[in-house]
Amino acid sequence: MPNLHHSLQDHDIGHLRMVAERWGVEPEGANLRTMRTNLADELLEPELAEEVVHGLPADARNALAQLQQNLGRIDWVQFTHQYGEIRRMGRSQRDRIRPDREPVSTTEILYYRALVGRAYFDTNTGPQEFAYIPEDLLAIMPILAPESDIPLGRPAAPAETAAPQLASDQLLDTLTTILAARRINQDLPGSHQSPFYASLLQALGLLDAGGQPLTERIRDFLAAPRGQCMRDAFQSWRISPDHNDLHHVPSLTPDGDWPNDPVREREALFELLHGLPHGEWWNLPAFISAIKQRQPGFLRPDGDYESWYLQDADGKFLTGFEFWDQVEGAWLAYMLTGPLHWLGYVDLARGAAENISAFRLSRWAGGLWDAAVPKAGLTPEDGRVHIRSDGQINIPRSAPRTARYQVARFCRWDEPKPEEYRYRITPSSLERAKGQGLTVDHFIQILSAHSDGIPPNVTKALKNWQAIGHAAKIETHPILRLPAPEVLDALRKSRAARFLGTPLNTTTITLKPGTEEKVLAILVEMGYLGEVE
């Protein structure tokens, strides 16, 4: 970045005198060049710089603190959006109005003290205008912390928290379902197909590079206490450089590589959250709006709004600060209502509308952050597997995860209930398990260990299947009913014969599935109309 001397180079003597007055110094020099050099030297006195900076209004100190946190520069549009514009005026008007004495914005306060300059710098997308602190002045300036006596946003009104949705450990049950499905190549319901879960499993080290389950790691994960697993999931996500939350925002589409830093972005969000009152409901839209007003560059500390090739769902490119709501705003909403809630860090609430209107740090937030194991409110894994005499197996969410993972590998998956998973024993599911090296004896051992008993007929059926190697089958075929026996005889002599199955009587015969329309067409050629019922 330019140094102070370079920053002052474009200013006339009137501007230099304004800067000198704000610093309380008397610039000397026979000409403009000498005065500029001498003024820069005086302003670079560390004790004077500290005095001037600490004498600034709170908002001006906040602005400098934000610039320091962003390596000394921020996109000019972003900076002036937050801290106000510099009025355009000629020299005579400026000398008459004296904006250094009567500034209308924080930007003017800093600009007429030479604490902030304005210049174009090269970026990945070409020249871009920035607000910056001169490099040598930045080096001697005292380190500032943003002053935020009031947390970002506002508390939620009671009506905005009418329907609370507390953080839970249900994430662990979802991960169990996904791991079991991957183990047997089972299709997942839509809600389980989120890329968040696959990426989290990678961060936890439960999947290999190809996305296949790692058996030993999974066994340890499923057997560990739920509190420990929640902590491990949160911490693995928090520090993972490969889990890019920006890629998972539903309203954004990547176009090439995104030069963002997922770990730094998550840490920036936690810094914003740590200033909120613990346990108090907070309005979600107001929180996001306050971040836009006071700390809009949290996601892009270099102020570069041009080089991230982001698109919305319709393929429109979202470049420039004017798309902050569609990028940063969408990322914040996704993080608070998605990962931070799923991982147990925040509670959510809705008001009269369907949209989530409020959030708060959960009872687990402190422990998850400090890598302590959550204890209160966890689902006890003491539920028992229930086996019905018709071969259906019902497993409550409170059953041990390792039991459900194992049972799921032997069974067909039926539609689950909110607090119960449902499976059914079938020959094809047992055949699939056999192909993976699992045995019926092992299945019976699992069921015996985690249930209150197996119905005798189910045990008998399992052992019969193991001994015989096949089972009774019910097959369905379309049935063709004809008006007279001679029509069936004629049809069996026609080219439709290859579509016919087993005769049931003199006028009825089964058809091979999928051949109905072909047979009807041939019957029309023979002079008989028909239809499919």
Side-chain angles (χ1 to χ4, degrees):
M1 285 184 295
N3 60 24
L4 183 57
H5 186 276
H6 186 277
S7 180
L8 296 173
Q9 194 151 353
D10 293 333
H11 296 312
D12 61 25
I13 194 167
H15 188 104
L16 297 181
R17 284 174 176 162
M18 291 180 185
V19 173
E21 182 177 317
R22 295 304 97 205
W23 282 71
V25 298
E26 291 288 342
E28 299 178 356
N31 54 48
L32 179 60
R33 181 177 181 180
T34 305
M35 181 184 292
R36 184 182 296 121
T37 300
N38 292 339
L39 179 60
D41 290 341
E42 290 193 68
L43 269 52
L44 291 172
E45 172 59 42
E47 290 184 3
L48 179 60
E50 183 173 359
E51 179 183 340
V52 170
V53 168
H54 284 306
L56 292 170
D59 204 39
R61 291 196 303 272
N62 281 342
L64 289 179
Q66 187 177 351
L67 282 163
Q68 288 177 331
Q69 290 178 340
N70 287 271
L71 307 178
R73 71 179 194 178
I74 294 177
D75 174 80
W76 182 259
V77 173
Q78 173 189 333
F79 189 80
T80 55
H81 176 83
Q82 186 172 359
Y83 296 110
E85 296 281 355
I86 295 175
R87 288 170 289 179
R88 293 186 178 183
M89 58 185 78
R91 294 182 182 179
S92 59
Q93 184 184 14
R94 178 203 64 196
D95 293 342
R96 184 177 69 255
I97 293 176
R98 292 303 299 264
D100 61 311
R101 295 176 182 172
E102 299 291 339
V104 297
S105 68
T106 297
T107 306
E108 283 196 346
I109 292 174
L110 299 172
Y111 182 71
Y112 286 105
R113 283 169 172 77
L115 292 169
V116 166
R118 178 179 184 178
Y120 281 88
F121 300 126
D122 288 332
T123 69
N124 294 336
T125 57
Q128 184 176 337
E129 191 174 24
F130 286 85
Y132 71 93
I133 301 174
E135 189 171 37
D136 44 6
L137 189 56
L138 178 64
I140 67 167
M141 187 178 293
I143 302 300
L144 299 172
E147 298 179 10
S148 52
D149 297 331
I150 303 174
L152 293 164
R154 64 169 176 82
E160 295 168 338
T161 63
Q165 185 177 343
L166 303 184
S168 75
D169 56 2
Q170 194 157 7
L171 170 75
L172 303 180
D173 305 306
T174 299
L175 296 182
T176 302
T177 298
I178 295 171
L179 289 170
R182 283 179 177 260
R183 189 70 180 83
I184 62 174
N185 297 318
Q186 168 79 27
D187 291 335
L188 284 167
S191 61
H192 289 61
Q193 294 176 10
S194 167
F196 168 83
Y197 296 122
S199 183
L200 179 61
L201 289 170
Q202 291 278 6
L204 279 162
L206 301 178
L207 302 178
D208 63 20
Q212 294 304 307
L214 295 171
T215 305
E216 295 296 327
R217 296 293 300 273
I218 291 172
R219 182 181 297 116
D220 293 341
F221 179 75
L222 296 177
R226 291 179 80 93
Q228 177 183 327
C229 291
M230 288 297 294
R231 179 205 64 186
D232 290 346
F234 177 83
Q235 291 291 340
S236 297
W237 165 79
R238 186 175 74 86
I239 66 174
S240 171
D242 299 319
H243 184 104
N244 195 336
D245 304 287
L246 198 58
H247 280 235
H248 301 157
V249 179
S251 58
L252 296 179
T253 304
D255 185 70
D257 294 331
W258 295 357
N260 65 308
D261 183 345
V263 177
R264 190 204 60 77
E265 291 162 0
R266 288 192 284 269
E267 296 304 307
L269 176 56
F270 285 122
E271 288 180 9
L272 297 171
L273 291 171
H274 287 168
L276 300 181
H278 193 84
E280 183 172 351
W281 286 108
W282 214 247
N283 181 272
L284 177 62
F287 179 70
I288 295 174
S289 179
I291 292 174
K292 181 179 181 181
Q293 292 299 319
R294 291 165 56 181
Q295 299 190 43
F298 76 98
L299 207 60
R300 313 190 217 201
D302 59 359
D304 183 1
Y305 286 85
E306 305 297 330
S307 64
W308 291 17
Y309 296 105
L310 311 177
Q311 296 173 276
D312 63 14
D314 297 324
K316 179 181 179 181
F317 279 97
L318 307 174
T319 54
F321 184 75
E322 61 268 28
F323 291 107
W324 192 97
D325 291 324
Q326 291 92 325
V327 180
E328 279 81 355
W331 184 88
L332 284 166
Y334 163 74
M335 293 291 281
L336 287 165
T337 62
L340 287 177
H341 179 63
W342 302 330
L343 289 160
Y345 196 81
V346 300
D347 299 325
L348 302 175
R350 288 180 169 84
E354 286 296 317
N355 293 336
I356 294 170
S357 54
F359 71 97
R360 70 180 178 189
L361 301 183
S362 77
R363 61 192 181 281
W364 298 336
L368 291 171
W369 176 260
D370 296 331
V373 177
K375 294 181 174 62
L378 294 167
T379 303
E381 292 197 355
D382 56 4
R384 304 293 287 171
V385 174
H386 177 65
I387 308 158
R388 296 191 347 182
S389 60
D390 62 357
Q392 179 175 307
I393 300 178
N394 301 332
I395 305 181
R397 196 171 74 84
S398 60
R401 285 164 291 137
T402 185
R404 183 163 68 87
Y405 176 80
Q406 293 174 318
V407 169
R409 297 179 62 189
F410 284 94
C411 297
R412 186 189 77 195
W413 296 20
D414 289 348
E415 188 69 25
K417 299 295 182 181
E419 291 294 317
E420 184 178 72
Y421 299 92
R422 296 191 168 187
Y423 303 93
R424 185 172 293 278
I425 304 170
T426 68
S428 58
S429 67
L430 293 175
E431 193 67 42
R432 180 189 62 206
K434 181 180 178 182
Q436 293 188 340
L438 302 176
T439 67
V440 166
D441 288 340
H442 182 210
F443 186 31
I444 292 174
Q445 290 175 6
I446 295 169
L447 296 178
S448 298
H450 295 285
S451 72
D452 292 328
I454 308 174
N457 66 297
V458 172
T459 303
K460 180 180 179 180
L462 287 170
K463 290 189 174 295
N464 281 339
W465 183 89
Q466 182 174 238
I468 299 173
H470 59 81
K473 293 184 179 180
I474 297 177
E475 297 181 351
T476 59
H477 293 276
I479 296 175
L480 176 65
R481 302 183 188 280
L482 296 166
E486 56 267 26
V487 179
L488 177 56
D489 291 339
L491 192 63
R492 297 180 72 174
K493 296 175 183 178
S494 73
R495 55 191 176 88
R498 66 184 186 277
F499 303 136
L500 304 181
T502 304
L504 302 179
N505 56 45
T506 58
T507 58
T508 308
I509 193 170
T510 63
L511 300 179
K512 295 179 181 179
T515 64
E516 297 92 330
E517 296 297 336
K518 295 177 181 178
V519 172
L520 290 176
I522 294 172
L523 281 170
V524 172
E525 294 175 1
M526 295 171 58
Y528 298 97
L529 293 175
E531 62 182 351
V532 177
E533 293 183 354

